[in-house]
Amino acid sequence: MAIPDPNQVHPNPAIQELVFLKNVITRPNIEVGDYTYYDDPVDPMAFESHVTHHYDFLGDRLIIGKFCSIAQGIEFVMNGANHVMRGASTYPFNILGGDWQAYTPELSDLPLKGDTIVGNDVWLGQNVTVLPGVTIGDGAIVGADSVVTKSVPPYTIVGGNPAQMIRPRFKDEVSQALLKLAWWDQDIHWITAHISALTQTTPTISQLNTWLAELA
C-alpha cells in the first residue's frame, strides 16, 4: 500500500497548497493529530498566523484531532482577545502602557473560556471563524463563512453567523455507533482498506456493528 506519510509536510507533492498541519506547527500550545490537513493557496505554512490572541501566559490550547479538513481563511480567536466586562468600560487601558499599565487585570478577572477543541474528521469550510473555548465534535461540518460561537455536537452540520444547526448528518443511533467505532483511531491499513465504504456508502447500524465486531 502506498499510504501518505503523516510526517510529511506535503503529502501530495503535486498539491503544494495542502499541508499535513501537525508538521508546520511550532507553538507548544497547539496540538494537531495525524492526517489533518490545511489547504491554503496563499501560504499554507502560515497556519499559526490564523490563530490569534494566543498568549502562553493564559495557558489555553488549541487542540485539533485526526483526519480534519481545514480550508483557507480559517481564524481561531483565542482567549487573549477577551476584555474585562464587569465595569462600565471594556477598554484595555493597561496595554497602552504608561501609568495605565498599573491597571493590568488579574487573570481571574478575565472571562477565559478554556481550550478550543476540534474533534476528529471535522470539516471546516473556508473563512470560518471559531471563538474561544468552543468544542466542535467529531464528524461535524461547519459551512463556509460561519462564525462558531458555541460548541457543536458530533456529526452535526452548522452554518451562519452565529453558526446554527442546519441538520444532524445521521440518525442518533448511527452517530453514536460511529463515535464508538472511532475509525480515525484504527490501524491505517484498516482505514485504507475501508476508504470506499467510509466515504461512498451511507453508514448503517448493521455495517457499523460488523466493523465493531471485527475490531473487538
Side-chain angles (χ1 to χ4, degrees), residues 28-83:
N29 49 4
I30 300 178
E31 303 172 19
V32 182
D34 287 346
Y35 302 101
T36 284
Y37 74 79
Y38 173 53
D39 187 346
D40 185 343
V42 177
D43 190 356
M45 306 297 288
F47 173 83
E48 288 177 325
S49 68
H50 300 279
V51 183
T52 62
H53 308 283
H54 200 194
Y55 308 124
D56 289 342
F57 68 89
L58 291 178
D60 58 335
R61 298 174 298 162
L62 171 60
I63 303 170
I64 302 174
K66 303 174 184 176
F67 292 95
C68 292
S69 308
I70 303 177
Q72 69 184 100
I74 189 69
E75 190 84 1
F76 288 98
V77 181
M78 303 301 286
N79 281 283
N82 287 320
H83 294 196

Side-chain angles (χ1 to χ4, degrees), residues 92-103:
F93 290 93
N94 62 289
I95 67 172
L96 280 303
D99 289 343
W100 290 356
Q101 192 167 350
Y103 299 96

Side-chain angles (χ1 to χ4, degrees), residues 67-148:
F67 292 95
C68 292
S69 308
I70 303 177
Q72 69 184 100
I74 189 69
E75 190 84 1
F76 288 98
V77 181
M78 303 301 286
N79 281 283
N82 287 320
H83 294 196
V84 176
M85 296 186 292
R86 67 167 178 262
S89 174
T90 60
Y91 192 81
F93 290 93
N94 62 289
I95 67 172
L96 280 303
D99 289 343
W100 290 356
Q101 192 167 350
Y103 299 96
T104 299
E106 300 292 332
L107 289 183
S108 58
D109 296 327
L110 295 171
L112 301 179
K113 306 291 186 178
D115 294 337
T116 298
I117 301 173
V118 178
N120 305 282
D121 192 24
V122 172
W123 176 16
L124 301 177
Q126 66 183 28
N127 302 319
V128 165
T129 299
V130 180
L131 296 190
V134 163
T135 293
I136 300 176
D138 297 326
I141 299 172
V142 180
D145 299 300
S146 297
V147 178
V148 185

